[in-house]
Amino acid sequence: MDLDVITKYSALHAKPGGLILQYGTAGFRTKAEHLDHVMFRMGLLAVLRSKQTKSTIGVMVTASHNPEEDNGVKLVDPLGEMLAPSWEEHATCLANAEEQDMQRVLIGIIEKEAVNLQQDAFVVIGRDTRPSSEKLSHSVIDGVTILRGQFHDYGLLTTPQLHYMVYCRNTSGQYGKATIEGMEMKSNERCCSFDGDADRIVYYYRDADGHFHLIDGDKIATLISSFLKELLLEIGENLNIGVVQTAYANGSSTRYLEEVMKVPVYCTKTGVKHLHHKAQEFDIGIYFEANGHGTVLFSKVAEMKIKQLAKELEDNKRKVAKMLENIIDLFNQAAGDAISDMLVTEAILALKGLTIQQWDALYTDLPNRQLKVKVADRQVINTTDAERQAVTPPGLQEAINGLVKKYRLSRAFVRPSGTEDVVRVYAEADSQESADSLAHEVSLAVFQLAGGVGERPQPGF
Ligand code: NG1
Ligand code: ZN
């Protein structure tokens, strides 16, 4: 161990003088800006612990539920448990040692714990999604490498996943395989994912040739509306159904709904509040954004009628009316809800005996591309016709119209994002190549006519 090298590198992760921290139940936690030295030193300590236990040790960079400006670090012991209490004390001493005392404290730990420095060391590292976490995890890695430890950086990981990895690695895979996927996607198997707050859902599968198929909100809306329409037909009830989409709905889905299923389709501005509002106009209003936000609304009149029919009708018709009555309760009519949408979808697939491939085959999505363009002020773009036409800046819509004409089955629109400081560009066409090229050309038009900043949009994705 070259103490001078350690001292030199430690100075690059210098401790703010006088800062005192405590290794508590959740390791160290404080403002991220005060943690660089702690991370470096925990990298050193993890190597010593690994050498002493002849095992893999984990280091997790996270401050869990604390505010974004905080961060933290904790070590994971060989069987995936929390760090042993005696080493928590070492962690505290090492983190709090002033720069000039760091070497002495480090040697003290090595001696006290009889660490054999010749022993190999291995450290696994994980981090949360805080903006500061990536840089701080690199400081951990600096500490590990300076003590010649080997490491594997898992990048983004949940805390329990890191504990699990450590346990698996130290039991030669007996406890389990040290992989983070958790889920193996077998071919043609139905899968679904929610977004972070579980108000969006998408389904997907990989076919026998290994191709990935995404089943988005448009296809979920199609499945639900065809099911509801069939049930209404069976009980001879003519309730007024409407499907609400945004301009991001794939052109094939709109065509299928209107021309094959014969249900009226309406387009609103992006954002669930607009879709929800429009869906309230129907007896049964089905609304979904392509990205999986959506639900179904039943008017009070429709609900009462269905409830009444579930009591009055007989035999199979009664069963169907009962099914409709139950499905009303399965939807979350307050807002799009991934869990309730999943339960509805699963119920429909089971009742209809549909595989995910059969569902997917209802129609084929038109190839499409979404891009973002940075402009000085995205509010210079004003739109109309549910965001499908740009009214300002002058000339932009004309330019888009000219570009769209060059491609088959094409469509494109631009709008300022409501959640990011960008202009979103959407294009679809008969081939992926055309959709990509149209999206690129429209991006250039936005860049030129709407005050693009930074580098001009480049072709290729
Ligand atoms: P913006 O950033 O306004 O495009 C995005 C989604 C919306 C909606 C909101 C709120 C797209 C293209 N846009 O809005 O559909 O989900 O976030 O989450 O998917
Ligand atoms: Zn969400």
Side-chain angles (χ1 to χ4, degrees):
M1 184 170 76
D2 189 336
L3 288 172
D4 289 339
V5 174
I6 295 170
T7 305
K8 195 176 115 201
Y9 275 86
S10 180
L12 298 177
H13 299 277
K15 173 181 181 294
L19 180 72
I20 300 293
L21 298 168
Q22 181 75 33
Y23 193 102
T25 25
F28 294 106
R29 256 187 222 183
T30 188
K31 296 267 169 288
E33 61 194 303
H34 294 147
L35 278 169
D36 182 40
H37 69 294
V38 177
M39 296 292 166
F40 175 75
R41 294 174 188 198
M42 288 309 104
L44 300 176
L45 194 74
V47 171
L48 296 186
R49 181 69 172 149
S50 173
K51 286 177 186 290
Q52 190 216 30
T53 57
K54 302 188 177 63
S55 304
T56 295
I57 294 295
V59 180
M60 185 71 199
V61 178
T62 180
S64 183
H65 57 274
N66 282 37
E68 186 173 287
E69 62 271 23
D70 287 5
N71 216 321
V73 60
K74 62 178 178 182
L75 269 62
V76 178
D77 249 3
L79 292 180
E81 339 84 311
M82 302 296 176
L83 188 62
S86 55
W87 280 75
E88 287 188 356
E89 277 177 37
H90 298 326
T92 302
C93 290
L94 192 61
N96 291 330
E98 295 303 334
E99 221 37 62
Q100 66 276 11
D101 302 327
M102 218 279 289
Q103 242 189 50
R104 189 177 49 76
V105 173
L106 200 65
I107 293 170
I109 298 169
I110 294 167
E111 284 173 358
K112 184 149 188 230
E113 296 292 344
V115 175
N116 172 7
L117 291 173
Q118 305 311 316
Q119 180 67 39
D120 288 341
F122 200 87
V123 177
V124 288
I125 300 142
R127 62 176 147 89
D128 72 12
T129 55
R130 285 185 160 68
S132 59
S133 292
E134 188 169 0
K135 187 163 177 283
L136 290 175
S137 70
H138 286 133
S139 305
V140 173
I141 292 171
D142 275 0
V144 172
T145 38
I146 216 70
L147 268 186
R148 294 182 198 277
Q150 287 186 297
F151 70 92
H152 180 84
D153 180 10
Y154 280 107
L156 290 179
L157 214 61
T158 67
T159 302
Q161 275 180 313
L162 185 76
H163 285 263
Y164 173 80
M165 294 305 164
V166 172
Y167 194 6
C168 290
R169 281 176 175 268
N170 287 323
T171 48
S172 318
Q174 268 174 24
Y175 180 65
K177 219 168 144 192
T179 68
I180 53 167
E181 285 303 295
M183 183 183 91
E184 204 182 310
M185 243 172 98
K186 299 203 188 83
S187 79
N188 291 327
E189 204 169 62
R190 184 168 78 254
C191 306
C192 72
S193 290
F194 302 166
D195 74 340
D197 58 351
D199 61 1
R200 300 188 202 188
I201 179 171
V202 288
Y203 272 81
Y204 48 93
Y205 69 97
R206 205 180 279 290
D207 66 22
D209 299 328
H211 294 129
F212 179 83
H213 295 246
L214 177 71
I215 301 192
D216 63 3
D218 301 341
K219 251 182 197 154
I220 297 174
T222 309
L223 180 77
I224 295 173
S225 24
S226 70
F227 180 72
L228 294 177
K229 201 174 163 178
E230 272 170 31
L231 295 191
L232 290 172
L233 266 177
E234 281 187 51
I235 56 169
E237 197 50 57
N238 194 18
L239 291 170
N240 153 23
I241 295 190
V243 177
V244 188
Q245 304 186 315
T246 71
Y248 290 101
N250 195 278
S252 289
S253 74
T254 315
R255 205 182 62 82
Y256 181 85
L257 284 161
E258 286 178 333
E259 293 177 15
V260 181
M261 284 185 44
K262 312 268 185 235
V263 289
V265 180
Y266 301 84
C267 185
T268 68
K269 286 190 197 172
T270 302
V272 270
K273 65 178 179 200
H274 301 293
L275 290 105
H276 191 95
H277 190 69
K278 183 73 191 170
Q280 285 171 329
E281 291 178 12
F282 308 94
D283 290 329
I284 303 181
I286 298 144
Y287 75 83
F288 267 89
E289 291 188 310
N291 62 29
H293 253 151
T295 188
V296 177
L297 306 182
F298 295 83
S299 71
K300 278 283 156 264
V301 172
E303 217 170 312
M304 299 225 321
K305 223 177 223 174
I306 290 167
K307 279 194 164 57
Q308 200 183 337
L309 289 171
K311 279 197 209 118
E312 281 173 6
L313 291 173
E314 285 176 9
D315 307 326
N316 192 48
K317 285 194 173 177
R318 187 191 184 125
K319 209 177 129 197
V320 172
K322 193 88 197 129
M323 204 185 277
L324 265 172
E325 190 185 6
N326 289 339
I327 215 153
I328 296 178
D329 289 338
L330 204 47
F331 281 112
N332 183 341
Q333 294 193 57
D337 178 329
I339 295 176
S340 108
D341 290 341
M342 178 190 73
L343 294 173
V344 169
T345 307
E346 290 298 310
I348 297 176
L349 292 177
L351 288 166
K352 293 183 71 147
L354 275 182
T355 63
I356 192 157
Q357 295 73 26
Q358 289 167 324
W359 174 20
D360 187 29
L362 287 180
Y363 62 83
T364 305
D365 277 323
L366 278 171
N368 57 85
R369 176 65 64 192
Q370 254 198 72
L371 295 176
K372 302 178 193 182
V373 183
K374 282 214 169 296
V375 295
D377 173 13
R378 66 193 199 279
Q379 302 312 337
V380 299
I381 296 189
N382 282 287
T383 62
T384 183
D385 187 23
E387 301 175 319
R388 290 172 291 191
Q389 301 279 325
V391 196
T392 61
L396 180 58
Q397 189 57 48
E398 290 73 14
I400 295 173
N401 293 345
L403 294 168
V404 166
K405 272 199 199 122
K406 291 170 47 186
Y407 301 89
R408 289 191 58 242
L409 299 178
S410 55
R411 188 167 73 89
F413 66 92
V414 302
R415 52 175 281 279
S417 159
T419 59
E420 284 179 73
D421 188 13
V422 294
V423 174
R424 291 198 199 284
V425 171
Y426 178 88
E428 67 184 30
D430 63 337
S431 70
Q432 191 60 55
E433 207 185 357
S434 299
D436 288 353
S437 148
L438 176 57
H440 173 62
E441 290 178 322
V442 172
S443 300
L444 285 176
V446 170
F447 192 84
Q448 279 155 12
L449 299 167
V453 291
E455 223 186 303
R456 265 163 61 95
Q458 298 297 314
F461 309 97

